[in-house]
Amino acid sequence: MINRLTDTLSFQAQALTLRAERQRLIASNIANADTPGYQAREMDFARALKEATGAATPARQMAAATAGHLQPPAGARSEAELLYARPAQTSLDSNTVDMDRERAAFADNSVKYEATLRFLNGSVRTLMDAIKGQ
C-alpha cells in the first residue's frame, strides 16, 4: 500500500522536476533570441519522463565505479542529452530561436506544470485526509 502511494507521488514529483527543467530550457531559448549563432535546444519530455521513472533505459548513463562517486538524481539530464530545435526558417545570423514556437511551448509547459502541481497537491491532501480519518 505504501509502495503504491510512494510510486504515485514519485511519478508526479519526477514529472514536476522535468517540467521545471523544460521551462528553464525554453526560458533560455527566449533569452537568447537575439544572440547571433545561438542554437535553440529542446527536450524530448516523454522520453525523459520514461527514463526518470525507470520505464526506459537512458541512452547514456553515468557509472559509479567507486563508493565516492555521486549518483545523479533520477531524471537529471546533461546538456549532451538535449536536442536541437529544428528551425522553421533560416535567419541571417544563424539563430534558430523561433519566438512564436517558444512562446507557445512556454505557455503549454506552464499549464502542464500547474496541472501536475495541483495533482500532486491533491494527492498529498487526500493522503493527509486519509491519515486523519476524515
Side-chain angles (χ1 to χ4, degrees), residues 88-130:
Q89 60 186 16
T90 59
S91 65
L92 291 176
D93 62 357
S94 299
N95 186 311
T96 61
V97 175
D98 181 351
M99 283 301 290
D100 292 334
R101 182 184 64 207
E102 298 298 332
R103 284 188 195 115
F106 192 87
D108 179 63
N109 197 58
S110 296
V111 169
K112 289 177 179 174
Y113 180 89
E114 182 71 24
T116 304
L117 188 60
R118 286 179 187 244
F119 189 80
L120 188 59
N121 283 337
S123 296
V124 171
R125 188 173 302 121
T126 302
L127 183 61
M128 293 301 289
D129 288 346

Coordinates of all heavy atoms in Angstrom, one line a residue, residues 88-130:
A88 N 12.2 26.7 -38.1 CA 11.1 26.8 -39.1 C 11.6 27.5 -40.4 O 11.1 27.2 -41.5 CB 9.9 27.5 -38.5
Q89 N 12.5 28.5 -40.2 CA 13.1 29.2 -41.3 C 14.5 29.6 -40.9 O 14.8 29.7 -39.7 CB 12.2 30.4 -41.7 CG 12.1 31.4 -40.5 CD 11.1 32.5 -40.9 OE1 10.3 32.4 -41.9 NE2 11.1 33.6 -40.2
T90 N 15.3 29.9 -41.9 CA 16.7 30.2 -41.6 C 16.7 31.7 -41.3 O 15.9 32.5 -41.7 CB 17.5 29.9 -42.8 OG1 17.0 30.7 -44.0 CG2 17.6 28.5 -43.1
S91 N 17.8 32.1 -40.6 CA 18.0 33.5 -40.3 C 19.4 33.9 -40.7 O 20.3 33.0 -40.9 CB 17.8 33.8 -38.8 OG 18.7 33.1 -38.1
L92 N 19.6 35.1 -40.9 CA 20.9 35.6 -41.4 C 22.0 35.4 -40.3 O 23.2 35.2 -40.7 CB 20.9 37.1 -41.8 CG 20.0 37.4 -43.0 CD1 19.9 38.9 -43.3 CD2 20.6 36.7 -44.2
D93 N 21.7 35.5 -39.1 CA 22.7 35.3 -38.0 C 22.8 33.9 -37.5 O 23.4 33.7 -36.5 CB 22.4 36.3 -36.9 CG 21.1 36.1 -36.2 OD1 20.4 35.2 -36.6 OD2 20.8 36.8 -35.2
S94 N 22.2 32.9 -38.1 CA 22.2 31.5 -37.8 C 21.5 31.2 -36.4 O 21.8 30.2 -35.8 CB 23.6 31.0 -37.8 OG 24.2 31.1 -39.0
N95 N 20.7 32.2 -35.9 CA 20.0 31.9 -34.7 C 18.8 31.1 -35.0 O 18.0 31.4 -35.9 CB 19.6 33.3 -34.0 CG 18.9 33.1 -32.7 OD1 18.0 32.3 -32.5 ND2 19.4 33.8 -31.7
T96 N 18.5 30.0 -34.3 CA 17.4 29.1 -34.6 C 16.2 29.3 -33.7 O 15.3 28.4 -33.7 CB 17.9 27.6 -34.6 OG1 18.3 27.3 -33.3 CG2 18.9 27.4 -35.6
V97 N 16.2 30.3 -32.9 CA 15.1 30.5 -31.9 C 13.9 31.1 -32.7 O 14.0 32.1 -33.4 CB 15.5 31.5 -30.8 CG1 14.2 31.8 -29.9 CG2 16.6 30.9 -30.0
D98 N 12.8 30.4 -32.6 CA 11.5 30.8 -33.2 C 10.6 31.3 -32.1 O 10.1 30.5 -31.3 CB 10.8 29.7 -34.0 CG 9.5 30.1 -34.6 OD1 9.0 31.2 -34.4 OD2 9.0 29.3 -35.4
M99 N 10.5 32.6 -31.9 CA 9.8 33.2 -30.8 C 8.4 32.7 -30.7 O 7.9 32.5 -29.6 CB 9.9 34.7 -30.8 CG 11.3 35.2 -30.4 SD 11.7 34.7 -28.7 CE 10.6 35.6 -27.7
D100 N 7.7 32.6 -31.8 CA 6.3 32.1 -31.7 C 6.2 30.7 -31.2 O 5.4 30.4 -30.3 CB 5.6 32.2 -33.1 CG 5.5 33.6 -33.6 OD1 5.3 34.5 -32.8 OD2 5.4 33.7 -34.9
R101 N 7.1 29.8 -31.6 CA 7.1 28.5 -31.1 C 7.5 28.4 -29.6 O 6.9 27.7 -28.9 CB 8.1 27.6 -31.9 CG 8.1 26.2 -31.5 CD 9.2 25.4 -32.3 NE 10.5 25.9 -32.0 CZ 11.5 25.9 -32.8 NH1 11.4 25.3 -33.9 NH2 12.7 26.4 -32.4
E102 N 8.5 29.3 -29.3 CA 8.9 29.3 -27.9 C 7.9 29.8 -26.9 O 7.7 29.2 -25.9 CB 10.2 30.1 -27.7 CG 11.4 29.6 -28.6 CD 11.9 28.2 -28.2 OE1 11.7 27.8 -27.0 OE2 12.4 27.5 -29.1
R103 N 7.2 30.8 -27.4 CA 6.1 31.4 -26.5 C 5.0 30.4 -26.3 O 4.5 30.2 -25.2 CB 5.5 32.7 -27.1 CG 6.4 33.8 -26.9 CD 5.7 35.1 -27.4 NE 6.6 36.2 -27.5 CZ 6.9 36.8 -28.7 NH1 6.3 36.4 -29.8 NH2 7.8 37.7 -28.7
A104 N 4.6 29.7 -27.4 CA 3.6 28.6 -27.3 C 4.0 27.5 -26.4 O 3.2 27.0 -25.6 CB 3.2 28.1 -28.7
A105 N 5.3 27.1 -26.6 CA 5.8 26.0 -25.8 C 5.9 26.4 -24.3 O 5.6 25.6 -23.4 CB 7.2 25.6 -26.3
F106 N 6.2 27.7 -24.1 CA 6.3 28.2 -22.7 C 4.9 28.2 -22.0 O 4.8 27.7 -20.9 CB 6.9 29.6 -22.7 CG 7.3 30.1 -21.3 CD1 8.6 29.9 -20.8 CD2 6.4 30.8 -20.6 CE1 8.9 30.3 -19.6 CE2 6.8 31.3 -19.3 CZ 8.0 31.1 -18.8
A107 N 3.9 28.7 -22.7 CA 2.6 28.7 -22.2 C 2.0 27.3 -22.0 O 1.5 26.9 -20.9 CB 1.6 29.4 -23.1
D108 N 2.3 26.4 -22.9 CA 1.8 25.0 -22.8 C 2.5 24.3 -21.6 O 1.8 23.6 -20.8 CB 2.2 24.2 -24.1 CG 1.8 22.8 -24.1 OD1 0.5 22.5 -23.9 OD2 2.7 21.9 -24.1
N109 N 3.8 24.5 -21.5 CA 4.5 23.9 -20.4 C 4.1 24.4 -19.0 O 4.0 23.7 -18.0 CB 6.0 24.0 -20.6 CG 6.8 23.0 -19.7 OD1 6.6 21.8 -19.8 ND2 7.7 23.6 -18.9
S110 N 3.8 25.7 -19.0 CA 3.3 26.4 -17.8 C 2.0 25.8 -17.3 O 1.8 25.5 -16.1 CB 3.1 27.9 -18.0 OG 4.4 28.5 -18.2
V111 N 1.1 25.6 -18.2 CA -0.2 25.0 -17.9 C 0.0 23.5 -17.4 O -0.6 23.1 -16.4 CB -1.2 25.0 -19.1 CG1 -2.4 24.2 -18.9 CG2 -1.5 26.4 -19.4
K112 N 0.8 22.8 -18.1 CA 1.1 21.4 -17.6 C 1.8 21.3 -16.3 O 1.6 20.5 -15.5 CB 1.8 20.7 -18.7 CG 1.0 20.4 -19.9 CD 1.7 19.7 -21.1 CE 0.8 19.5 -22.2 NZ 1.5 19.0 -23.4
Y113 N 2.7 22.3 -16.1 CA 3.4 22.3 -14.8 C 2.4 22.6 -13.7 O 2.4 21.9 -12.6 CB 4.4 23.5 -14.8 CG 5.2 23.6 -13.5 CD1 6.4 22.9 -13.3 CD2 4.8 24.5 -12.5 CE1 7.1 23.0 -12.1 CE2 5.4 24.6 -11.3 CZ 6.6 23.9 -11.1 OH 7.3 24.0 -9.9
E114 N 1.5 23.6 -13.9 CA 0.5 23.9 -12.9 C -0.5 22.7 -12.6 O -0.8 22.4 -11.5 CB -0.3 25.1 -13.4 CG -1.4 25.6 -12.4 CD -0.8 26.2 -11.1 OE1 0.3 26.7 -11.2 OE2 -1.5 26.2 -10.1
A115 N -0.8 22.0 -13.7 CA -1.7 20.8 -13.6 C -1.0 19.7 -12.8 O -1.6 19.1 -11.9 CB -2.1 20.3 -14.9
T116 N 0.2 19.5 -13.0 CA 1.0 18.5 -12.3 C 1.1 18.9 -10.8 O 1.0 18.0 -9.9 CB 2.4 18.3 -12.9 OG1 2.3 18.0 -14.3 CG2 3.2 17.2 -12.2
L117 N 1.3 20.2 -10.6 CA 1.5 20.6 -9.2 C 0.1 20.5 -8.5 O 0.1 20.0 -7.3 CB 1.9 22.1 -9.2 CG 2.3 22.7 -7.8 CD1 3.4 21.9 -7.2 CD2 2.7 24.2 -8.0
R118 N -1.0 20.8 -9.1 CA -2.3 20.7 -8.5 C -2.6 19.2 -8.2 O -3.1 18.9 -7.2 CB -3.4 21.3 -9.4 CG -3.4 22.8 -9.3 CD -4.5 23.3 -10.2 NE -4.3 24.7 -10.3 CZ -5.3 25.6 -9.9 NH1 -6.4 25.1 -9.3 NH2 -5.1 26.9 -9.9
F119 N -2.2 18.3 -9.2 CA -2.5 16.9 -9.0 C -1.7 16.4 -7.8 O -2.2 15.6 -7.0 CB -2.2 16.1 -10.2 CG -2.6 14.7 -10.2 CD1 -3.9 14.3 -10.4 CD2 -1.7 13.7 -9.9 CE1 -4.3 13.0 -10.3 CE2 -2.1 12.4 -9.8 CZ -3.4 12.0 -10.0
L120 N -0.4 16.8 -7.7 CA 0.4 16.4 -6.6 C -0.1 16.9 -5.3 O -0.2 16.2 -4.3 CB 1.9 16.9 -6.8 CG 3.0 16.4 -5.9 CD1 3.1 14.9 -5.9 CD2 4.3 17.0 -6.3
N121 N -0.5 18.2 -5.2 CA -1.1 18.7 -4.0 C -2.4 18.0 -3.6 O -2.6 17.7 -2.4 CB -1.4 20.2 -4.2 CG -0.1 21.0 -4.1 OD1 0.8 20.6 -3.5 ND2 -0.2 22.2 -4.6
G122 N -3.2 17.6 -4.6 CA -4.4 16.9 -4.3 C -4.1 15.5 -3.8 O -4.8 15.0 -2.9
S123 N -3.1 14.9 -4.3 CA -2.7 13.5 -3.8 C -2.2 13.6 -2.4 O -2.6 12.8 -1.5 CB -1.6 12.9 -4.7 OG -2.1 12.7 -6.0
V124 N -1.5 14.6 -2.1 CA -1.0 14.8 -0.7 C -2.1 15.1 0.2 O -2.2 14.6 1.4 CB 0.1 15.9 -0.6 CG1 0.5 16.2 0.8 CG2 1.4 15.4 -1.4
R125 N -3.0 16.0 -0.2 CA -4.2 16.4 0.6 C -5.1 15.2 0.9 O -5.5 15.0 2.0 CB -5.0 17.5 -0.1 CG -6.1 18.0 0.8 CD -6.8 19.2 0.2 NE -5.8 20.3 -0.1 CZ -5.6 20.8 -1.4 NH1 -6.3 20.4 -2.4 NH2 -4.7 21.7 -1.5
T126 N -5.3 14.3 -0.1 CA -6.1 13.1 0.0 C -5.4 12.2 1.0 O -6.1 11.6 1.9 CB -6.3 12.4 -1.3 OG1 -6.9 13.3 -2.2 CG2 -7.1 11.2 -1.2
L127 N -4.1 12.0 0.9 CA -3.4 11.2 1.8 C -3.4 11.7 3.2 O -3.7 10.9 4.2 CB -1.9 11.1 1.4 CG -1.0 10.2 2.2 CD1 -1.5 8.8 2.1 CD2 0.4 10.3 1.6
M128 N -3.3 13.0 3.4 CA -3.4 13.6 4.8 C -4.8 13.4 5.3 O -5.0 13.1 6.5 CB -3.1 15.1 4.7 CG -1.6 15.3 4.4 SD -0.5 14.6 5.5 CE -0.7 15.6 7.0
D129 N -5.9 13.6 4.5 CA -7.2 13.3 5.0 C -7.4 11.9 5.4 O -8.1 11.6 6.4 CB -8.2 13.7 3.9 CG -8.3 15.2 3.7 OD1 -7.8 16.0 4.6 OD2 -8.9 15.6 2.7
A130 N -6.8 11.0 4.6 CA -7.0 9.5 5.0 C -6.2 9.2 6.3 O -6.7 8.5 7.1 CB -6.4 8.7 3.9

